[in-house]
Structures are given as C-alpha cells and as structure tokens.
C-alpha cells in the first residue's frame, strides 16, 4: 500500500510559529510533529511513503530527507487544497488502496486492522473517526412549533469526529477527474463521493 502525508498547508491558525516553519515541522516535546508519524509508519511495510508539500517545500524536503532516506515527495507548484494532489497521481502507478493522512497529528492506530476493515467492506473510502463528547452548560429545550416536550439539564452530546486519516480505493481517482477545479478540499471530496453513491465507511479509533 502507498501512504500519502499531507504537509503542504500554511498553518494559518498558528501564523506566528509557522511564518518560517511548516506546521508539521514544529516541535512537540523536543521532537518535530511529523517525525512521530513517520517513525510510527516505518514499523509498517508500506510500499511507498509520499509527503505532499507546497508551503516552504524545499525546507520540508531538506529536513525530512536527512532522517528518512526512503520517503518520496510530491511538490505542488501552487496550493491545491487537502485533496487536490489526488488529481496529480497516475492511476496505473498507485496501489489498489492507499492511505492519506494529515501530518500534523500524533496518533497511533492499527493500520492493518483499518486495511482489513476497508477491504472487507469493499469501501471506496474509509474515514477514521473518534467520538467527541461535548458538555452543554445549560438546560436544553426541545420543542415542535414552540410546544416544549422536554427539558434536558446540561446534557452531554456525542459526535463522530473526522481524525484526518483516510483509506481510499484507487477508483476514486477516476471520479475526481470529473471535478473541474484544481483546488479541492477533502471535506468537499467526501461529500462529492457520497453524492456519487460511492461507498464511504467509518472506522472508529480510540487514541
């Protein structure tokens, strides 16, 4: 399987820290964030590991190449969004199923289990999700046409949240060609695949 790490963004929400350094190269506990992910990936036998770059791409490649000799790079000449790089891939050379992940996250999952789940379900796309709890600090009123039928005091709500880790079947590459724009965000792609009746599944993670 091929693995693609998304590392081309500017990290707009952390502008002061990312003016001269891409977000994945920032340090957490004295170690660059992307190093945690790459070190973990090296335990698996992925056919190819690609890092998709754009912002400060030369700096990214220089730093990563020193430590990881086998990884490859896809350089965007202009920002293509979180899914636009998929249009650059050659259908014949891509593995039947391939992983895509944000590179600014620190998470350990069982990629073998994810792969088997994806294959067993014959999914076109599997999204890794975790459950997030939200505490509402107020009494929540439920009503229909202003007629109240319940009052829940400080309820807890649970939602499945996108972790930023995906497993695609290469069939998606043919579908994405029909999107005319070059800059594509992954959330837009997911909704597009759902509208096209492609099989999109959820894989729960707990870390």
């Amino acid at each position: 399987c091929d693995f693609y790490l998304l590392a081309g963004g500017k990290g707009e929400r952390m502008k002061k820290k990312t003016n001269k350094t891409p977000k994945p190269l920032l340090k957490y506990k004295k170690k660059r964030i992307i190093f945690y992910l790459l070190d973990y990936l090296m335990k698996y036998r992925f056919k190819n590991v690609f890092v998709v770059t754009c912002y400060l791409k030369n700096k990214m490649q220089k730093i990563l190449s020193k430590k990881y000799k086998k990884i490859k790079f896809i350089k965007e000449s202009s920002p293509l969004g979180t899914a636009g790089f998929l249009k650059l891939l050659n259908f014949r050379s891509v593995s039947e199923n391939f992983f895509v992940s944000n590179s600014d996250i620190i998470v350990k999952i069982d990629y073998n289990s994810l792969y088997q789940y994806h294959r067993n379900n014959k999914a076109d796309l599997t999204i890794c999700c975790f459950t997030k709890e939200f505490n509402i600090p107020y009494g929540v009123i439920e009503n229909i046409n202003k007629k109240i039928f319940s009052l829940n005091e400080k309820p807890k709500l649970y939602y499945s949240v996108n972790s930023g880790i995906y497993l695609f079947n290469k069939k998606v590459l043919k579908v994405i060609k029909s999107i005319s724009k070059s800059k594509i965000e992954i959330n837009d792609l997911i909704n597009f695949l759902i509208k096209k009746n492609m099989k999109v599944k959820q894989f729960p993670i707990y870390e």
Side-chain angles (χ1 to χ4, degrees):
C1 251
D2 295 332
F3 201 110
Y4 296 85
L5 279 171
L6 305 176
K10 287 187 175 182
E12 296 283 1
R13 286 175 291 183
M14 303 180 69
K15 250 183 177 178
K16 289 184 179 179
K17 293 184 177 181
T18 57
N19 277 336
K20 296 182 179 180
T21 303
K23 186 179 176 184
L25 292 181
L26 295 178
K27 291 185 177 181
Y28 174 73
K29 293 185 177 179
K30 298 182 179 181
K31 183 176 178 179
R32 297 187 189 277
I33 296 172
I34 195 172
F35 285 5
Y36 287 97
L37 186 48
L38 284 169
D39 288 345
Y40 187 68
L41 292 182
M42 294 305 148
K43 297 178 182 179
Y44 291 83
R45 294 182 179 179
F46 289 108
K47 182 180 177 182
N48 296 295
V49 175
F50 297 89
V51 178
V52 183
T53 65
C54 183
Y55 177 63
L56 298 175
K57 52 194 169 190
N58 292 331
K59 182 173 185 177
M60 177 74 74
Q61 182 169 349
K62 183 178 179 181
I63 290 174
L64 294 185
S65 296
K66 287 181 180 178
K67 183 174 172 64
Y68 306 96
K69 306 299 183 183
K70 293 183 179 181
I71 63 173
K72 302 173 183 179
F73 296 88
I74 297 174
K75 292 185 177 183
E76 297 177 350
S77 56
S78 61
L80 298 178
T82 46
F85 84 96
L86 294 172
K87 296 183 80 171
L88 303 177
L89 302 183
N90 184 313
F91 183 84
R92 291 184 178 181
S93 63
V94 176
S95 58
E96 186 68 24
N97 296 284
F98 60 91
F99 293 87
V100 175
S101 173
N102 293 345
S103 61
D104 57 356
I105 55 176
I106 300 173
V107 61
K108 293 181 178 180
I109 68 170
D110 186 340
Y111 287 107
N112 290 328
S113 295
L114 169 57
Y115 184 79
Q116 288 304 318
Y117 176 87
H118 177 80
R119 288 284 305 274
N120 291 343
N121 283 280
K122 298 179 181 178
D124 297 306
L125 167 61
T126 301
I127 305 171
C128 292
C129 301
F130 60 91
T131 301
K132 184 73 174 177
E133 177 186 299
F134 294 90
N135 295 309
I136 309 300
Y138 308 104
V140 174
I141 291 174
E142 296 185 44
N143 70 89
I144 297 177
N145 295 326
K146 296 184 180 179
K147 182 178 180 180
I148 297 173
F149 61 86
S150 72
L151 172 61
N152 297 320
E153 187 62 27
K154 299 180 180 178
K156 293 181 178 180
L157 303 179
Y158 299 89
Y159 292 95
S160 289
V161 179
N162 182 4
S163 71
I165 303 170
Y166 315 90
L167 182 51
F168 288 89
N169 183 278
K170 69 188 298 183
K171 287 186 292 184
V172 170
L173 298 181
K174 290 185 176 180
V175 177
I176 200 174
K177 296 291 184 183
S178 64
I179 301 176
S180 58
K181 59 182 182 180
S182 58
K183 188 172 184 180
I184 307 168
E185 299 300 338
I186 205 153
N187 55 307
D188 294 327
L189 174 60
I190 292 167
N191 287 323
F192 181 77
L193 296 178
I194 292 169
K195 287 180 181 178
K196 288 289 185 180
N197 294 317
M198 300 197 80
K199 195 170 186 179
V200 180
K201 296 288 290 184
Q202 172 181 323
F203 181 80
I205 60 173
Y206 304 98
E207 290 191 40

